[in-house]
Amino acid sequence: MSKAISGHKLILLACLIIAAYLMPYLILGEDTHIRVHDNLDSNIVWYKLLVESGQFFSTGTLPNVINGLPRSTLASPFDIVVWLYVLFEPITAYTIGQAVMRFAAFFGMYLLLRRWIRQPWITVGTALGFALLPYWPSGLLSIAGLPLALHIFLNIRKHGWNVRKYNWVILFLLPFFSSFILTFVFFLGLIGLLWLIDRFRLHKFNWPFFTAIAGMTVLYLAKNYILIYGMFFSDGFTSHRENLNLGHNNLTDTFELFADNFINGHTHDMAVQTYIIIPVIGLAFLVAARHNIKPRLLTALFLFNAFLSLWYAFWYWEGWRIVKENFMIANTFNFSRIHFLDPMIWYICFALALWILWRHLPFGKVLVSVLMVVQLGILIGLNEEIKYSSIDTPTFAEFYSVDLFDDIQEYIGKDQSEYRVVSIAMHPTIAQYNGFFTLDTYNNSFPLSYKQKFRKIIAPELEKNKTLKNYYDTWGSRLYMYVAELGKHYLFTKQSDEVIDNLEINTSALRKLGGDYVFSALPIENYQENGLSFERSFTAAGSGSPWKIYLYKVEPD
């Protein structure tokens, strides 16, 4: 009884810590510092544009972006994160998403760990650490929900039709909170493999388990009907992804990438395993060997994570080119993303390792407590407000600077649908968020033909910078107005003393695409040589915006 009470108190404490972790979003609102990469510069704007487009359930195009961005390249209308942006303002939707993600991560990992470990300090502490990870925000439950999904599948595998009904309800709700392409295609593949092993090992067709796998898969396919229709039943567009040319690392670079991913992780699936988790697992192996223990599950999961990092690294090895060049799906679909399963596996390993130390070291209880507190301290320090305010990136409100761009719109004096803009030295999604129709963009997919047309505009700059040329030609999801002297840098505030001295763009190609104005976060010294005329610069009064925008008009032929 005392253990149960202790466990409940720990769960309550963990929930309070998660609530405190979320407080900056609630208190600061749009003044919160949040991640820019693959967040402010992309997904948030994609959701906003989709909601405002009137193309929610259609298979048409969004005229705001690249003269017609195919609707199929954006999120499904049955994705819960999209509905958050339908029902709430963007920052509110973002905050709710953060809360759903972290509480689901906590309870899912807690329930999963209780299968192997009955010590509440370890199960609650490890689950709390998993809940505080710096998740990619738009993934929602794509990574954070994996432990919950695994827990439910294992329940159904064990109890069959006798499993409690809420397991089925949660299982069939998860597809609407997560991405099939990002993680669950791999997760379901592995669960399917487990079912197949059971089928031959036990000579039993586990119908409930099979139904769970098949049902969840069908829901994912139904949810993504627009994408599937565009891929298999429509004579629509050829995606730029069919022209990807990634993966030219030699063996040395490949093994370096393996080591980096295994030790440090990836920006989209950070487990923060470097300083505490990996050393703890190593110590647990030593303790297990000293006491003649065979930690089979810990060993298997640790080796599996090593394999996932190796697979990720080898996906970019030059030896795979022959496969990617002969099988289109290997070129367009990123099979290396199976490494997004890493965080769940790392935290299961962490809990199992802590359990070994707890039971088999004389000072194990104290050591485990200290290690968990240190890991939680590291994770709290990665809270978005703490992390990004310390490196002085813009807040939500500062990044989009609505008042500043309202001034620009008022100065131009025409309906935004009547002209097209491009951005230099800044992310084009800032203009998109503020209602401007842009020729440049950042999206996961768009017509290859448009990428080729847009390339003509920036071709002179690409020729001056091999890194940018390779970046655009081999990947190219960022259709940006690249400037050779700036490289891959897109955040220049009004405090910057940078000046663009030698811009070379193909203004004729820009005119052919319909370009009328250039927004630049830096002054362009030779604007006249590029067929541009300087209109005026814009800054917000006080410190409301970090940008100073230089407005240039594209001169007619």
Side-chain angles (χ1 to χ4, degrees), residues 465-513:
N465 188 313
K466 290 183 179 179
T467 299
L468 290 178
K469 182 179 180 181
N470 181 69
Y471 187 60
Y472 188 89
D473 291 340
T474 62
W475 183 62
S477 291
R478 291 188 189 269
L479 288 176
Y480 279 26
M481 292 289 291
Y482 291 111
V483 179
E485 58 195 277
L486 302 180
K488 292 193 290 183
H489 299 285
Y490 326 113
L491 289 178
F492 295 92
T493 69
K494 57 190 176 186
Q495 278 76 39
S496 174
D497 57 2
E498 291 270 1
V499 174
I500 300 173
D501 293 309
N502 187 30
L503 179 68
E504 292 183 66
I505 60 172
N506 184 337
T507 313
S508 176
L510 178 59
R511 292 191 196 98
K512 286 181 181 178
L513 278 184

Side-chain angles (χ1 to χ4, degrees), residues 18-69:
I18 295 172
Y21 187 91
L22 296 168
M23 286 307 291
Y25 305 110
L26 299 171
I27 296 172
L28 299 174
E30 290 192 350
D31 292 324
T32 309
H33 293 82
I34 66 175
R35 172 177 169 145
V36 173
H37 177 63
D38 283 351
N39 194 35
L40 284 171
D41 69 352
S42 50
N43 291 79
I44 290 173
V45 179
W46 300 347
Y47 299 137
K48 183 176 184 290
L49 290 180
L50 178 56
V51 168
E52 296 172 350
S53 69
Q55 302 285 337
F56 209 58
F57 292 98
S58 81
T59 56
T61 60
L62 277 69
N64 314 56
V65 183
I66 64 171
N67 291 327
L69 178 70

Side-chain angles (χ1 to χ4, degrees), residues 208-275:
F209 195 27
F210 177 82
T211 302
I213 298 167
M216 195 179 205
T217 302
V218 168
L219 280 175
Y220 272 117
L221 295 177
K223 170 192 167 184
N224 292 288
Y225 76 95
I226 293 179
L227 177 63
I228 292 171
Y229 175 80
M231 290 176 61
F232 299 107
F233 303 106
S234 171
D235 296 328
F237 70 101
T238 299
S239 172
H240 84 287
R241 299 188 69 84
E242 295 192 16
N243 201 39
L244 296 182
N245 189 21
L246 301 173
H248 295 277
N249 289 346
N250 58 35
L251 278 176
T252 300
D253 291 339
T254 298
F255 282 108
E256 287 178 355
L257 183 59
F258 156 70
D260 180 64
N261 183 260
F262 184 72
I263 295 171
N264 301 311
H266 184 276
T267 182
H268 286 99
D269 67 347
M270 291 179 64
V272 195
Q273 72 269 29
T274 310
Y275 300 108

